[in-house]
Amino acid sequence: MERELALEFVRITEAAALASGRLMGRGDKEAADQAAVDAMRTVFDTVHIDGTVVIGEGEMDEAPMLYIGERVGTGEEPAVDVAVDPVEGTNLVAKGLPNALAVVAIAPKDCLLHAPDMYMEKIAVGPGAKGCINLDASVSENLNAVASALDRDVQDLTAIILDRPRHKEIIAQIRAAGARVKLISDGDVSAAIATAIDGTGVDILFGIGGAPEGVIAAAALKCLGGEMQARLTPEGEDEIARVHKMGLPDANKLLQLDDLVAGDDVFFAATGITDGDMLRGVRYSGQTAETHSLVMRGITGTIRNIYATHILERKPSFVSRTAQCRQNTRQE
C-alpha cells in the first residue's frame, strides 16, 4: 500500500472521534458508538481503496453498516482487509473516562485474522521485550523474562490488565511476583499499544479480552515492533464452529503476531476521543475542534503524531450532529 494512504486513514478516525466526542459523559454509549460509526462510514466512501471489513460492528444481520463483509472505499485498488473499532471504549466515552479511541487497521487482502466476536487470551509487550514472552508460561516466568530483557527488577515493571472477576487469579500472581498492577475498566487495544509506547509506564499486558480487539492491537504492535501472543477461548460448540468458519481449523492454536497480522504492509490509525496516556481527546471551541491522532506504518516503522484543527461548519455531517446535541441539551 502506498504511504500516501496514511493521511486518508487518519481522516477516518478523526471523523469518528469528532462525532463521538460530542457525547462524552452524557451516559449514552450506544449513541456515542452510532455517531462514530456513521461518521467513519461516510469518510470511508471517499478513500481510494477496495476494502472489505473483516472486523467491524458485527455480522451483516447485527449491524446496518461497517458489518463484517461490507465493502468500503471507492472500489479502486489496492484490495485490503479493514478492521475497525469506531469507539474503542464506549463506556469510557459515556462516562467521560480516559483512553477512549477511534481506531482502524488496514492490511492487504487476507492478511488480517478474521477473528470471530468472542474472547481471546492475550499477552503483549513492546520492542524491548520482544521474543521473551510465552502465553503458555506462568505469569511469574513472563515477568522475570521481561524484567531481564529490559534490565530491570520485576518490582519495577507495570502490568496492565482489565479489571474483571475472570482476572482475579492473574492479578494475584502479578502481585505475588512483585510487579505493579494497572487495572483498567475498558479498552484493551489502547492498553496493548501502551506497552510499546515510551512514557506510558506500562511494560506488559495480560488477560482475556475481545478477539477482534486483539487483532486491531496486533496491527499496532506490528507497526511498533512489539509482540503479542494470543489464543481464542471459544465457549461451547457454536463458538468453536464459528472459529472454524473464520478459517482456523484449530480453535486452541497459540497465535503468534504473524498469525494475527501477516506481513509488515499494515497501517494503524487512532484518534483520541477522551484524554488518555497516548492521545489527547477532542477539544471543541465554537465552530472549531482539535484532534490528536497517531498513524503508523508497518513497513517503515514510522509513527506520526498528527494535531489537527477542524472547521466544523465545513463538515456538514458533524454540524448537524452538533446542532442535535445542543438541541437535546437545551431540552434537558
Side-chain angles (χ1 to χ4, degrees):
M1 293 182 287
E2 298 297 328
R3 65 172 61 88
E4 289 79 5
L5 286 170
L7 187 57
E8 296 299 292
F9 298 146
V10 170
R11 289 177 53 241
I12 295 169
T13 57
E14 286 175 342
L18 285 166
S20 182
R22 278 293 187 189
L23 297 167
M24 186 191 81
R26 294 173 61 83
D28 192 340
K29 66 178 184 179
E30 287 81 11
D33 186 59
Q34 190 60 58
V37 169
D38 292 346
M40 184 174 276
R41 184 63 180 82
T42 298
V43 178
F44 257 120
D45 285 341
T46 71
V47 179
H48 296 289
I49 56 171
D50 180 9
T52 302
V53 176
V54 298
I55 291 174
E57 292 293 283
E59 305 292 340
M60 186 184 301
D61 57 352
E62 298 172 351
M65 60 180 66
L66 295 180
Y67 55 81
I68 296 170
E70 184 178 12
R71 301 289 291 274
V72 294
T74 62
E76 304 169 53
E77 294 290 334
V80 297
D81 283 347
V82 174
V84 301
D85 198 345
V87 179
E88 207 265 324
T90 54
N91 284 320
L92 301 178
V93 178
K95 297 177 181 180
L97 296 174
N99 288 315
L101 307 174
V103 299
V104 300
I106 313 285
K109 189 172 177 58
D110 298 325
C111 286
L112 295 180
L113 179 70
H114 298 193
D117 187 11
M118 63 180 60
Y119 281 131
M120 172 184 275
E121 186 180 3
K122 311 168 191 175
I123 185 171
V125 292
K130 185 175 182 179
C132 297
I133 56 173
N134 182 351
L135 191 61
D136 289 329
S138 69
V139 168
S140 177
E141 288 170 331
N142 277 299
L143 287 170
N144 277 286
V146 171
S148 178
L150 299 178
D151 195 23
R152 297 188 208 165
D153 294 329
V154 170
Q155 66 183 7
D156 297 327
L157 299 181
T158 297
I160 193 166
I161 188 169
L162 284 166
D163 188 6
R164 299 287 189 273
R166 63 179 178 268
H167 292 150
K168 181 179 179 180
E169 181 59 30
I170 297 176
I171 293 168
Q173 291 177 31
I174 296 170
R175 289 170 173 163
R180 304 190 301 170
V181 181
K182 182 174 183 178
L183 297 175
I184 55 172
S185 62
D186 296 276
D188 67 345
V189 172
S190 61
I193 298 169
T195 66
I197 299 285
D198 291 339
T200 63
V202 173
D203 302 296
I204 185 168
L205 170 127
F206 289 104
I208 297 172
E213 290 84 356
V215 176
I216 294 173
L221 289 168
K222 179 65 75 85
C223 296
L224 290 162
E227 183 180 7
M228 173 184 280
Q229 292 183 5
R231 178 179 285 114
L232 293 167
T233 58
E235 299 177 358
E237 293 301 321
D238 288 347
E239 288 200 351
I240 291 174
R242 290 183 66 193
V243 173
H244 295 161
K245 183 180 178 181
M246 290 290 185
L248 281 179
D250 181 3
N252 296 311
K253 179 182 178 181
L254 176 62
L255 301 169
Q256 305 290 338
L257 189 60
D258 285 339
D259 295 316
L260 300 167
V261 181
D264 294 327
D265 191 9
V266 56
F267 283 94
F268 174 89
T271 300
I273 302 174
T274 61
D275 287 343
D277 297 330
M278 299 176 294
L279 296 169
R280 284 181 49 180
V282 183
R283 302 283 199 275
Y284 300 95
S285 179
Q287 284 301 309
T288 65
E290 296 179 353
T291 56
H292 179 198
S293 305
L294 279 177
V295 60
M296 302 181 282
R297 189 180 185 214
I299 287 177
T300 60
T302 301
I303 306 166
R304 290 184 170 88
N305 280 272
I306 298 177
Y307 297 87
T309 300
H310 307 266
I311 301 175
L312 297 177
E313 65 182 7
R314 299 182 185 179
K315 298 177 182 289
S317 62
F318 306 146
V319 170
S320 60
R321 195 174 303 283
T322 298
Q324 183 64 46
C325 286
R326 289 175 176 166
Q327 181 181 357
N328 291 343
T329 299
R330 287 196 296 269
Q331 290 173 349
E332 291 167 1

